[in-house]
């Protein structure tokens, strides 16, 4: 039993580290990386992908978003937010599950959010509802 108590801290360590990263402050550097701020500055919609980058669903979503970048060019900005490294953004947008896609319009207002990987067709449909058409056809 003493053995388990000694190792219990190591089992909880990943959760402690994640909690510490989420409680970061909102600095000027974070503001520059904020998807809503990017949308306001560039005057174009932003699709923000909150995830870790290495889980199966996050990898699947990354591949789909690279396809979106190719199809839409400079009409849409894609922003990847690593939840362990950008805790202030995670806190600001109340990210509870990943992967999470958040769509911002050109004014920086949140237009849509969806937990879990979103297929290209659904991303395309959401961007069309926002008035953004594909570059290629």
């Amino acid at each position: 039993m003493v053995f388990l108590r000694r190792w219990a801290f190591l089992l909880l360590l990943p959760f402690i580290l994640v909690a510490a990263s989420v409680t970061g402050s909102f600095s000027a550097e974070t503001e520059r990386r904020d998807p809503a701020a990017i949308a306001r500055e560039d005057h174009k919609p932003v699709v923000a992908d909150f995830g870790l980058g290495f889980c199966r669903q996050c990898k699947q979503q990354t591949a789909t978003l690279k396809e979106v970048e190719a199809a839409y060019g400079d009409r849409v900005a894609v922003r990847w937010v690593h939840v362990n490294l950008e805790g202030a953004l995670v806190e600001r947008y109340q990210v509870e599950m990943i992967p999470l896609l958040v769509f911002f319009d050109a004014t920086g207002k949140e237009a849509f959010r969806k937990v879990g990987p979103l297929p290209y067709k659904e991303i395309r449909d959401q961007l069309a509802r926002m008035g953004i058409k594909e570059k290629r056809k």
Side-chain angles (χ1 to χ4, degrees), residues 51-60 98-99:
L52 288 172
F54 60 81
C55 69
R56 184 179 55 82
Q57 289 184 334
C58 293
K59 286 180 181 179
Q60 177 185 358
I98 59 170

Side-chain angles (χ1 to χ4, degrees), residues 39-66:
R40 285 189 301 272
E41 290 172 14
D42 295 346
H43 305 290
K44 64 182 172 184
V46 173
V47 179
D49 177 20
F50 291 84
L52 288 172
F54 60 81
C55 69
R56 184 179 55 82
Q57 289 184 334
C58 293
K59 286 180 181 179
Q60 177 185 358
Q61 192 65 73
T62 297
T64 303
L65 289 174
K66 287 184 181 198

Side-chain angles (χ1 to χ4, degrees), residues 15-80:
F15 299 105
I16 293 168
L17 292 175
V18 168
S21 71
V22 168
T23 59
S25 64
F26 211 76
S27 65
E29 178 64 25
T30 303
E31 186 66 34
R32 273 198 308 281
R33 294 187 315 256
D34 184 352
I38 292 169
R40 285 189 301 272
E41 290 172 14
D42 295 346
H43 305 290
K44 64 182 172 184
V46 173
V47 179
D49 177 20
F50 291 84
L52 288 172
F54 60 81
C55 69
R56 184 179 55 82
Q57 289 184 334
C58 293
K59 286 180 181 179
Q60 177 185 358
Q61 192 65 73
T62 297
T64 303
L65 289 174
K66 287 184 181 198
E67 189 178 342
V68 168
E69 280 185 317
Y72 286 86
D74 62 351
R75 295 177 183 183
V76 174
V78 176
R79 168 77 170 88
W80 283 273

Side-chain angles (χ1 to χ4, degrees), residues 118-135:
L118 207 56
Y120 179 81
K121 181 187 178 312
E122 290 183 39
I123 294 172
R124 184 190 66 214
D125 293 346
Q126 178 58 38
L127 289 171
R129 284 191 287 277
M130 295 169 65
I132 309 300
K133 302 292 182 203
E134 287 178 294
K135 179 176 72 171

